[in-house]
Amino acid sequence: MSKKVLTIILIVFIPLFAAAAAFIVLQWYAQPVETLAMRAGELEDQQELAFSDWLREQQAKTKQLKEEKAREFTLFVAGDIMMARTVETKMLEKNDFSYCLADMRPVISGADFAIANLESPIIEGATTPVDSTVFRAHPKSAEALALAGFDAMNVANNHFGDQGAPGINKTFEYLEDNGIAHFGGGQSQASLINPLIREIKN
């Protein structure tokens, strides 16, 4: 082989080999970069999917809590409410019949249903003496009970008849005028034996 032929071969083939080698090297380096990019893309997709799942889960939990809250109701029950004697005197002095229940108003009115035992009939008349056990409450007492947040009053007790039939009838009238239901007594046999039924939040 002549020197001239060898020089031509070297001039032609060395760049080709160099180009081929460079191509192979570049391909080798490019592959990990491409793989990393793919993995990064897959990770991003997984993160988006994970966030979507998390969001759906949170929305489901929020819905469940709202449904549970809608099924809950609060019941406030008190014992004897006696609006006569010294209690009435204090309210008349202050010219404020909501005075005696003011501190409890947020609790009572905050309940979905509030009831108590009405220990004194409500009818106009003189203030009950301190030492008397025959009770009579001022008509504004019914307004005070409504303002406090009471929904119903039990009247089945030993003092409800203290003012006779007029006291019983006027008590029903004052309670009803102020949107307060009553149970445990009535003006007919049907009202005596039938219970008070209320539907609250289904």
Side-chain angles (χ1 to χ4, degrees):
M1 186 180 289
S2 68
K3 209 172 189 181
K4 191 177 179 180
V5 173
L6 184 60
T7 302
I8 292 170
I9 290 171
L10 289 173
I11 290 171
V12 173
F13 286 100
I14 286 176
L16 286 175
F17 280 122
F23 178 77
I24 292 167
V25 169
L26 286 173
Q27 284 294 98
W28 184 78
Y29 276 109
Q31 187 176 359
V33 172
E34 186 180 337
T35 305
L36 285 173
M38 288 173 63
R39 286 180 181 171
E42 288 171 4
L43 184 60
E44 190 176 333
D45 290 342
Q46 288 173 0
Q47 286 175 339
E48 285 181 10
L49 185 62
F51 177 75
S52 298
D53 291 341
W54 175 85
L55 186 60
R56 275 194 295 273
E57 185 181 343
Q58 296 308 308
Q59 288 170 341
K61 283 182 179 178
T62 302
K63 183 181 177 184
Q64 184 182 356
L65 285 171
K66 285 181 179 178
E67 288 172 354
E68 287 175 0
K69 188 69 178 173
R71 288 195 298 269
E72 290 178 358
F73 75 93
T74 52
L75 175 66
F76 179 90
V77 182
D80 295 351
I81 299 287
M82 204 277 287
M83 307 289 277
R85 293 198 304 196
T86 307
V87 176
E88 183 177 276
T89 302
K90 284 277 186 187
M91 292 188 295
L92 286 168
E93 285 174 0
K94 294 180 178 293
N95 194 29
D96 182 7
F97 275 78
S98 66
Y99 163 75
C100 65
L101 294 166
D103 289 344
M104 286 299 296
R105 183 180 177 185
V107 180
I108 300 167
S109 61
D112 292 310
F113 197 67
I115 63 175
N117 177 54
L118 182 59
E119 190 74 354
S120 45
I122 300 172
I123 189 172
E124 292 179 352
T127 302
T128 307
V130 176
D131 57 351
S132 175
T133 55
V134 180
F135 301 149
R136 184 216 58 84
H138 195 284
K140 286 189 176 180
S141 296
E143 294 177 29
L145 293 170
L147 184 63
F150 282 106
D151 300 291
M153 287 284 151
N154 169 58
V155 297
N157 59 63
N158 60 319
H159 285 285
F160 190 56
D162 281 1
Q163 299 299 317
I168 291 171
N169 293 331
K170 289 305 272 184
T171 300
F172 291 148
E173 183 182 317
Y174 287 124
L175 290 176
E176 289 165 8
D177 285 348
N178 285 280
I180 300 175
H182 51 82
F183 58 95
Q187 295 162 305
S188 67
Q189 187 177 4
S191 61
L192 285 168
I193 63 174
N194 288 325
L196 174 68
I197 298 172
R198 286 288 182 272
E199 184 175 312
I200 302 166
K201 292 185 176 180
N202 297 315

